[in-house]
Amino acid sequence: MDLLHSQLRIIQNRLSFVATEPINWKLYVQAFAWSVTFFESYLLIRQYPLYSKTAPPEVLAEHFDPGVFEKSQRYGKDKAKFALFSGFYKQLVESLLLQYGFNAWSWSAAGKLIAKFGYGPEYQILQSVAFVFIMFFVSSLPTMPLQAYGTFVLEEKHGFNKTTPKLFITDLLKGWGLAFVLGAPFLAVFLYIFQWAGDRFVPWLMGFMISFQLIMVILYPTVIQPFFNKLSPLADGELRTRIESLAGKLKFPLKHLYEIDGSKRSSHSNAYFFGLPWSKHIVIFDTLIQQSKPEEVEAVLAHELGHWYYLHPTKLMVISQLHTFAVLALFPAFLHAPPVLRSFDFPKEVAAQPPTIVAFLLFQMILTPFESVVSICMNAISRNYEYAADRFAVELQDMVHDEKMSDMGDRLGRALISLHVKNLSTVWVDWLYSAYHHSHPTLTERLKGLESFQARRQKKAQ
């Protein structure tokens, strides 16, 4: 432990200029935030002309009924225009809030709020919780019209929206309520660790955050998910039999198999699994069951079980923890840096002893360029894992020695095509746009990958 802290001190010493030099951090954050916005807009402009193509890729042509490809192109074009507008709008709102001292105002407002209940500035954790929720609530108000437009205009226009205005408002209130019920205790413990451990907070905070993630794995399906969707045991029948048989052959620790009422809000479909290593739950959207044949849903689940087999969720969690460790290792230099707070309009008396939550929030803003690079790298890793899971489905027969699995690759290909067609997903994608935004390969890339995996498997069998 002492070795760890000595190495962290070396990093902090190299960043000691942060606490003394009057750098214009606000200008830095503004410049990089707008740079990211302009770059994302450039990517949309690269992608936009592809929505004017009049025919799908040759490999997909036979799978589109007349008029469906045109619908998918119109849907993609409308989403791109909305994304371009909303990207600039959100950045403009954030830029104005930052420029005119919204963060400093929120801290002051939080102090005044807790003072009404008889608490002074010495109750920093309480003021910090109030600060975060004031910022969260006020900053979310300008973007609420975008949420409503995306749901009730854009998705409604293209036939996907199933959300009623009542459900939209209910979901919003439930989300705020859960954010407070779960977020307030988390934030209080998070900040208490800083007070208790001092500058040696890194390993203790890492331990707390990992523990919290594991607790959420347990709480999400049993407590949180039911607030928004109904999880019902998947009905007996061919699909359930197929999935249970597949899980048994792979020794997948399946505890529950659920159908979720995703159609309550949207026509889009999905399937996923979650849980602890010894107790897993599979959730299938009712829309996926309605849109696909049982053997195709089984192929989709075979792909998902490939992620489990290769420990992809665990590996991503490890990468995420390494990223978190890197962020926390850099933070001490910003924790005691009055010039940083002064740059963001905080008064001298607050900046003299920077509140931990304020310093951490500003530090996160300063890390924007670094986080953009991390996001691109994580997408690249995720796409590699998707190919591996597809290969797993193709080679499944060799693992379980079941002739019925010999066409799993073909079934997965048909399922992917069906889902893309019925969800009006974009089939023409610019490579740079995809690299930046997508955690999955494009449909044509995955179909080529499946074809390659199948050819390689057949070659080995000869």
Side-chain angles (χ1 to χ4, degrees):
M1 191 73 79
D2 288 338
L3 177 62
L4 171 64
H5 291 305
S6 66
Q7 295 302 311
L8 291 174
R9 277 196 297 272
I10 292 173
I11 296 173
Q12 189 172 354
N13 290 336
R14 291 187 177 181
L15 294 172
S16 59
F17 67 91
V18 173
T20 56
E21 296 185 19
I23 299 169
N24 192 340
W25 292 106
K26 184 195 288 188
L27 178 61
Y28 164 88
V29 169
Q30 292 277 36
F32 273 108
W34 277 105
S35 296
V36 170
T37 299
F38 281 119
F39 179 68
E40 291 178 350
S41 300
Y42 162 72
L43 294 178
L44 278 167
I45 292 169
R46 284 178 61 103
Q47 172 66 22
Y48 193 78
L50 297 178
Y51 297 122
S52 296
K53 285 183 175 286
T54 56
E58 187 175 344
V59 69
L60 300 174
E62 63 181 274
H63 300 284
F64 282 91
D65 292 332
V68 174
F69 176 71
E70 290 76 9
K71 286 182 181 179
S72 74
Q73 291 291 79
R74 288 195 294 272
Y75 182 44
K77 191 174 285 189
D78 285 349
K79 286 199 299 181
K81 287 188 285 190
F82 178 60
L84 188 63
F85 171 80
S86 59
F88 273 107
Y89 175 78
K90 288 177 182 178
Q91 182 52 47
L92 180 61
V93 170
E94 290 174 7
S95 186
L96 289 172
L97 291 175
L98 184 63
Q99 190 63 32
Y100 290 102
F102 173 65
N103 298 315
W105 174 86
S106 297
W107 181 256
S108 175
K112 293 175 182 176
L113 178 62
I114 66 170
K116 291 183 178 180
F117 296 92
Y119 297 98
E122 65 275 14
Y123 291 89
Q124 189 181 113
I125 291 179
L126 183 60
Q127 185 172 352
S128 297
V129 171
F131 165 72
V132 167
F133 284 101
I134 287 172
M135 285 196 65
F136 170 76
F137 178 72
V138 175
S139 62
S140 68
L141 293 178
T143 59
M144 285 178 61
L146 294 179
Q147 291 179 263
Y149 180 90
T151 301
F152 297 111
V153 178
L154 181 59
E155 293 293 300
E156 183 77 30
K157 176 182 177 181
H158 294 279
F160 290 113
N161 177 50
K162 304 295 182 183
T163 303
T164 63
K166 179 182 177 181
L167 184 59
F168 180 84
I169 295 171
T170 303
D171 281 351
L172 196 65
L173 295 176
K174 287 179 181 178
W176 286 347
L178 282 171
F180 181 77
V181 170
L182 296 175
F186 171 83
L187 191 57
V189 176
F190 180 88
L191 295 172
Y192 176 77
I193 290 173
F194 280 98
Q195 289 186 357
W196 171 74
D199 287 343
R200 292 180 166 236
F201 66 84
V202 174
W204 302 105
L205 202 55
M206 289 289 297
F208 164 66
M209 293 176 74
I210 292 172
S211 300
F212 182 78
Q213 288 177 0
L214 293 176
I215 291 171
M216 288 303 296
V217 167
I218 299 171
L219 289 181
Y220 182 79
T222 56
V223 178
I224 300 173
Q225 184 79 65
F227 276 98
F228 299 94
N229 291 95
K230 181 181 178 182
L231 289 173
S232 305
L234 183 65
D236 291 335
E238 181 184 356
L239 179 58
R240 186 179 186 94
T241 301
R242 282 177 175 272
I243 295 172
E244 289 179 339
S245 174
L246 177 60
K249 289 172 181 175
L250 291 172
K251 295 182 171 51
F252 178 76
L254 177 62
K255 184 172 183 180
H256 293 295
L257 183 53
Y258 293 114
E259 176 181 344
I260 190 171
D261 59 343
S263 59
K264 179 179 178 181
R265 291 173 176 79
S266 173
S267 297
H268 294 299
S269 51
N270 196 8
Y272 60 92
F273 72 87
F274 61 89
L276 297 169
W278 56 86
S279 176
K280 298 291 186 182
H281 313 266
I282 292 178
V283 178
I284 307 172
F285 279 52
D286 56 355
T287 46
L288 178 61
I289 297 172
Q290 295 160 11
Q291 294 171 1
S292 305
K293 298 175 181 177
E295 61 266 26
E296 293 174 350
V297 178
E298 181 188 20
V300 172
L301 265 298
H303 165 91
E304 294 300 326
L305 293 182
H307 288 306
W308 164 79
Y309 184 85
Y310 290 124
L311 300 176
H312 291 162
T314 303
K315 291 174 182 177
L316 287 173
M317 180 175 156
V318 170
I319 294 170
S320 174
Q321 296 308 318
L322 290 173
H323 168 241
T324 301
F325 177 81
V327 169
L328 293 177
L330 296 172
F331 178 53
F334 292 80
L335 180 57
H336 309 293
V340 175
L341 272 72
R342 292 292 292 148
S343 181
F344 289 94
D345 307 304
F346 281 85
K348 288 182 179 180
E349 59 272 18
V350 176
Q353 293 184 318
T356 301
I357 191 62
V358 172
F360 193 75
L361 173 70
L362 300 181
F363 172 62
Q364 290 290 92
M365 292 182 183
I366 291 168
L367 282 183
T368 299
F370 171 72
E371 295 295 346
S372 295
V373 174
V374 169
S375 176
I376 295 171
C377 293
M378 290 300 292
N379 279 346
I381 293 170
S382 177
R383 283 196 295 272
N384 182 58
Y385 287 171
E386 292 302 317
Y387 281 125
D390 284 349
R391 187 180 71 249
F392 174 85
V394 170
E395 298 173 353
L396 190 57
Q397 179 197 358
D398 302 327
M399 297 182 185
V400 300
H401 307 292
D402 187 344
E403 286 295 324
K404 294 178 182 179
M405 304 287 180
S406 60
D407 64 340
M408 192 64 78
D410 291 329
R411 282 193 261 159
L412 179 58
R414 292 198 303 270
L416 292 173
I417 292 170
S418 176
L419 291 174
H420 270 71
V421 170
K422 289 173 181 176
N423 289 318
L424 300 182
S425 300
T426 300
V427 293
W428 288 108
V429 186
D430 174 74
W431 72 270
L432 186 57
Y433 178 90
S434 178
Y436 184 83
H437 284 290
H438 294 166
S439 60
H440 288 52
T442 64
L443 176 59
T444 51
E445 288 172 339
R446 290 185 71 178
L447 293 177
K448 287 178 183 177
L450 286 169
E451 186 178 334
S452 172
F453 299 145
Q454 288 172 309
R456 197 180 309 165
R457 178 178 171 274
Q458 290 170 357
K459 188 175 180 180
K460 284 183 181 179
Q462 292 175 353

